[in-house]
Amino acid sequence: MTELGNRLKEAREEKGMSLDDLQAATKIQKRYLTALEEGNYDIIPGKFYVRAFIKQYAEAVGLNSENLFEEFKKDIPDSYNDEVSDKLSSIKPQRELPKSASKALELLPTLLVSAGVIVVIAIIYVIVQAVIGGGNQNSADQTKTEETQSKYDVSKDSPLTKENQKSGDNEKAADKDKKENGDDEQADEKKELNIKTVSSQGSSTTYEVSGADKLELEVKTTGDSWVRVQDAKGNSLKEGTMKKGETFQKNITDQDQIDLRIGYAPGVEIKINGKVLSYELDPKNVMTQNITIQNKKEEKSS
């Protein structure tokens, strides 16, 4: 077992995580995790994966991967350029096209021009037909409208007209009152939760929530992941591996701060009052993350 392997294993045991827990948190096969602890890199498919697995292992147990790479650079493969070179050299040059295909390509511009001319003629025909048909339709509509207006014309001073006008004024007043009342109701409902990023460093991000009288935390997994939820005093609210589709909910209205440790961020969705918390750090790049949620409580006026 190498010094690097000992360092990784000690950190894992300090976290109280088994190899099965670490496999669920990092999505790395257990046999590869064992190989990293024993320094047996030969069974891992490629130097790139060795470095990538060490980085994910370190972040899952709370170690700085960059410091590990610098400290143990003699024991860790430093590149994968040889694999890239092998792949590039294996690419065969493109074969020349057959003569029949070349002739077809030469005729392609002529065919495209002919098709374009046909399309233009068709468009012109459709436009002409639409103009002719539209003119006839407009003339018929205008005649029908004039006949209708002549048949049902009512004098402005007639009792019917005045009654209709009065009814219309009453409807407008009612709509105005309804709109004003609706605006007042919407103003009360617009008191929505606000989530903003306060700070972000390494694999840790702090968010601040405000604007809501009640706070409901929801943690849902779309893939297996190790999750830990603690309050400001360090009391554990949830800890362990959550299976795909599992959900954890907790009312955190009275909490000043909540701390989450996510083993596999791409497989975990965090919501507050039903609003999705958008990861400040891309989960694809930083799979293991520390999330701190601070509750900014607003003072109520007496």
Side-chain angles (χ1 to χ4, degrees):
M1 182 176 289
T2 63
E3 293 183 11
L4 174 58
N6 283 329
R7 177 74 62 83
L8 295 174
K9 184 176 181 180
E10 289 174 0
R12 173 176 63 78
E13 292 176 345
E14 288 177 0
K15 289 288 183 180
M17 298 175 67
S18 65
L19 286 173
D20 291 328
D21 291 334
L22 190 58
Q23 176 178 262
T26 61
K27 301 301 180 183
I28 300 175
Q29 294 182 24
K30 185 177 178 180
R31 64 193 184 99
Y32 293 148
L33 297 174
T34 302
L36 294 179
E37 292 183 353
E38 296 176 352
N40 184 15
Y41 302 143
D42 292 337
I43 71 171
I44 299 177
K47 298 178 181 179
F48 168 77
Y49 290 101
V50 173
R51 295 179 64 86
F53 289 170
I54 291 174
K55 177 179 175 65
Q56 289 182 247
Y57 189 124
E59 291 179 350
V61 298
L63 296 177
N64 189 306
S65 59
E66 297 300 328
N67 291 343
L68 288 179
F69 287 147
E70 180 63 25
E71 183 177 354
F72 300 102
K73 60 183 179 181
K74 293 183 179 179
D75 300 328
I76 302 173
D78 58 356
S79 68
Y80 59 98
N81 291 334
D82 52 341
E83 295 180 5
V84 175
S85 298
D86 291 341
K87 292 179 179 179
L88 291 176
S89 62
S90 65
I91 298 176
K92 296 181 180 181
Q94 187 177 4
R95 294 182 299 176
E96 294 183 359
L97 293 173
K99 292 183 179 180
S100 57
S102 300
K103 291 182 179 179
L105 290 175
E106 291 176 359
L107 295 175
L108 182 60
T110 303
L111 296 175
L112 291 176
V113 172
S114 300
V117 171
I118 295 173
V119 171
V120 170
I121 293 173
I123 292 173
I124 293 174
Y125 175 79
V126 172
I127 293 174
V128 170
Q129 293 298 318
V131 171
I132 295 174
N136 295 335
Q137 183 66 33
N138 290 337
S139 178
D141 291 343
Q142 184 176 0
T143 302
K144 186 175 181 180
T145 301
E146 290 175 354
E147 292 176 354
T148 303
Q149 290 178 348
S150 176
K151 184 176 181 181
Y152 296 101
D153 186 22
V154 181
S155 173
K156 293 182 180 180
D157 297 331
S158 67
L160 180 59
T161 302
K162 291 181 179 180
E163 185 64 26
N164 290 339
Q165 183 176 0
K166 183 178 179 180
S167 176
D169 293 339
N170 292 337
E171 291 179 358
K172 290 181 179 179
D175 290 341
K176 183 177 181 181
D177 293 339
K178 184 177 180 180
K179 183 177 181 180
E180 291 176 353
N181 294 334
D183 291 342
D184 294 338
E185 294 177 358
Q186 290 179 0
D188 295 336
E189 295 177 355
K190 282 184 178 178
K191 191 176 182 182
E192 295 182 353
L193 177 72
N194 180 42
I195 304 176
K196 69 176 183 178
T197 303
V198 176
S199 63
S200 181
Q201 183 177 7
S203 61
S204 300
T205 306
T206 299
Y207 302 87
E208 183 182 86
V209 296
S210 60
D213 295 331
K214 296 182 180 180
L215 295 178
E216 184 76 18
L217 173 68
E218 179 182 340
V219 180
K220 183 177 181 181
T221 54
T222 57
D224 294 354
S225 177
W226 187 84
V227 177
R228 182 181 65 203
V229 183
Q230 295 179 332
D231 61 16
K233 296 180 181 180
N235 298 322
S236 178
L237 306 178
K238 172 71 176 179
E239 183 171 358
T241 300
M242 294 180 65
K243 299 296 183 181
K244 179 180 179 181
E246 188 176 348
T247 300
F248 168 75
Q249 291 181 318
K250 181 70 175 177
N251 187 306
I252 60 172
T253 304
D254 298 329
Q255 299 290 339
D256 295 327
Q257 178 174 308
I258 292 293
D259 297 310
L260 297 93
R261 173 75 173 177
I262 309 299
Y264 183 61
V268 178
E269 183 182 69
I270 302 173
K271 291 183 179 179
I272 302 177
N273 290 4
K275 186 175 183 178
V276 178
L277 185 146
S278 179
Y279 284 100
E280 181 70 15
L281 302 174
D282 188 351
K284 294 181 181 179
N285 298 329
V286 185
M287 295 186 179
T288 302
Q289 297 194 25
N290 297 311
I291 304 294
T292 298
I293 301 174
Q294 296 179 346
N295 182 9
K296 184 179 180 183
K297 300 178 180 179
E298 298 181 357
E299 297 182 357
K300 297 182 179 179
S301 57
S302 57

